[in-house]
Amino acid sequence: DGGITQSPKYLFRKEGQNVTLSCEQNLNHDAMYWYRQDPGQGLRLIYYSQIVNDFQKGDIAEGYSVSREKKESFPLTVTSAQKNPTAFYLCASSTDIVPGRGSPLHFGNGTRLTVT
Amino acid sequence: GQNIDQPTEMTATEGAIVQINCTYQTSGFNGLFWYQQHAGEAPTFLSYNVLDGLEEKGRFSSFLSRSKGYSYLLLKELQMKDSASYLCATGDRGSTLGRLYFGRGTQLTVWP
């Protein structure tokens, strides 16, 4: 079955360490996204990529980095520069680079990152 | 950018009907999505509206008025499993192609 896989589901790290969250999709989607979700807040866009080897900053990109070397993969690195990294991270993809045309985002099951 | 507003919480009883409202302000509206998210899980797509009017899909319906910047999600014959957060999101035809803006979500609790 096609879908988006995020791993791991839970991740614990010490403050000051970089950590990479995995996101893989086999839906053949061009566009991929990383969102962060905090209690009481909407999904906030970190980075998105419309095509391989290209990506754009979202609203809260500071302290994060991404790469898009393959169509299927869009890993997110949370660096030590991110002031408040503890959150639920969601990866998504869509077949159309413009979701507003009716191509909905498909989400992975998320990674809950806890930094102490 | 976008300004999306929806109620934080709503409650209803099993078998009832509930309407979740969403208002938005956008520089270049390009459709409105509704997603359902159970706690700790991924959001799942419910509906998409780009033209004015009502779209019905089983127990769920979604309405859009572009002139009023307003949408609602209507859930009929509520079931316990409908307890979840409902997210409103809009697309943007402007310079930020390729992204959605999400509201904070409405937490719906269905009581027996």
Side-chain angles (χ1 to χ4, degrees), chain B residues 55-68:
Chain B
E55 297 269 348
E56 297 188 72
K57 192 186 294 185
R59 293 190 299 116
F60 293 3
S61 303
S62 57
F63 172 84
L64 176 67
S65 169
R66 288 172 295 171
S67 62
K68 296 181 180 178

Side-chain angles (χ1 to χ4, degrees), chain B residues 6-7 10 17-23 32-37 44-49 53-65 70-76 78 82 84-89 105-106 108:
Chain B
Q6 52 182 131
M10 298 184 72
I17 299 173
V18 70
Q19 178 174 312
I20 303 174
N21 296 326
C22 172
T23 58
L32 188 139
F33 292 84
W34 283 97
Y35 283 83
Q36 180 192 61
Q37 185 181 25
T44 55
F45 170 70
L46 289 178
S47 68
Y48 171 73
N49 295 68
L54 187 68
E55 297 269 348
E56 297 188 72
K57 192 186 294 185
R59 293 190 299 116
F60 293 3
S61 303
S62 57
F63 172 84
L64 176 67
S65 169
Y70 167 69
S71 173
Y72 67 72
L73 181 69
L74 192 71
L75 291 76
K76 303 176 185 177
L78 281 173
D82 296 330
S85 182
Y86 291 85
L87 312 178
C88 173
T106 298
L108 174 67

Side-chain angles (χ1 to χ4, degrees), chain A residues 31-33 35 45 48-50 92-107, chain B residues 30-33 35 45 47-50 89-93 96-102:
Chain A
M32 296 188 74
Y33 310 81
Y35 285 90
L45 184 65
Y48 63 109
S49 168
Q50 297 177 341
S93 70
S94 65
T95 185
D96 196 320
I97 62 172
V98 183
R101 287 184 185 154
S103 170
L105 297 187
H106 296 264
F107 285 89
Chain B
N30 197 24
L32 188 139
F33 292 84
Y35 283 83
F45 170 70
S47 68
Y48 171 73
N49 295 68
V50 68
T90 61
D92 188 339
R93 200 204 310 268
T96 52
L97 287 177
R99 60 169 298 173
L100 292 182
Y101 295 86
F102 283 84

